[in-house]
Amino acid sequence: MPIQTADVLVDTKNLRNSMVDVVLNVAEARTKLPFARGPMLSRSVLDAARFPSIHFVSTAVSLGPGGRISDGATVTGDLTVRDVTRPITLDAALYRPPGSAKDDLDRLFIHLTGALNRNDFGATGYADLVDETVGLNIRTEIRRKP
């Protein structure tokens, strides 16, 4: 799903104060299986016509070993799908491009992984074809504002 808006703050002085606020554009979602797009956006699953976005806002960042986000960290937040908001915790990794200088934070990559039960959000359609647990694998790049 393409990002509609994103506000990401990486507080390099206190990583626990970092935050994420992202809105995804449901109507523009794509799948690797073109025939699955229609059912995914249908009324019984994401209902893109009535709920055109998915919203995630972080509420806490837990650092991994050594006080870092690069290994073993989690991001907890509120996820809103189909106008239903539930807490979710995602495994997080934040890292620089390979070969970049240690203090070069102009371009960073974020990798978030986790899972949700789609039934918790009312996305119950096609139960015979789609598991109730949906894995999340989010990779994105962020750049420092000039």
Side-chain angles (χ1 to χ4, degrees):
M1 288 181 201
I3 295 172
Q4 185 172 316
T5 62
D7 187 14
V8 178
L9 169 68
V10 178
D11 185 338
T12 57
K13 302 217 184 314
N14 185 353
L15 291 170
R16 291 182 203 277
N17 290 336
S18 299
M19 57 79 54
V20 177
D21 187 338
V22 178
V23 177
L24 302 176
N25 183 334
V26 173
E28 296 298 319
R30 300 284 181 254
T31 69
K32 290 184 180 180
L33 304 170
F35 62 86
R37 184 173 185 271
M40 177 181 70
L41 300 179
S42 73
R43 205 172 162 179
S44 65
V45 183
L46 290 177
D47 199 355
R50 285 186 37 210
F51 308 106
S53 63
I54 290 175
H55 185 205
F56 174 80
V57 61
S58 63
T59 56
V61 174
S62 297
L63 303 178
R68 301 177 56 125
I69 299 178
S70 60
D71 184 31
T74 60
V75 175
T76 299
D78 293 323
L79 179 67
T80 303
V81 179
R82 294 176 50 106
D83 225 13
V84 175
T85 303
R86 299 269 189 261
I88 188 169
T89 298
L90 303 171
D91 294 326
L94 177 73
Y95 50 96
R96 294 181 313 277
S100 63
K102 185 176 181 177
D103 61 347
D104 182 3
L105 303 176
D106 290 341
R107 184 172 163 229
L108 299 170
F109 296 98
I110 299 173
H111 186 200
L112 301 169
T113 56
L116 61 87
N117 183 324
R118 66 190 187 101
N119 296 329
D120 292 344
F121 297 92
T124 58
Y126 300 91
D128 55 330
L129 299 173
V130 181
D131 288 338
E132 66 181 39
T133 300
V134 176
L136 302 173
N137 187 353
I138 304 160
R139 294 175 186 266
T140 192
E141 176 182 349
I142 59 174
R143 294 178 187 257
R144 185 187 306 252
K145 279 187 177 180

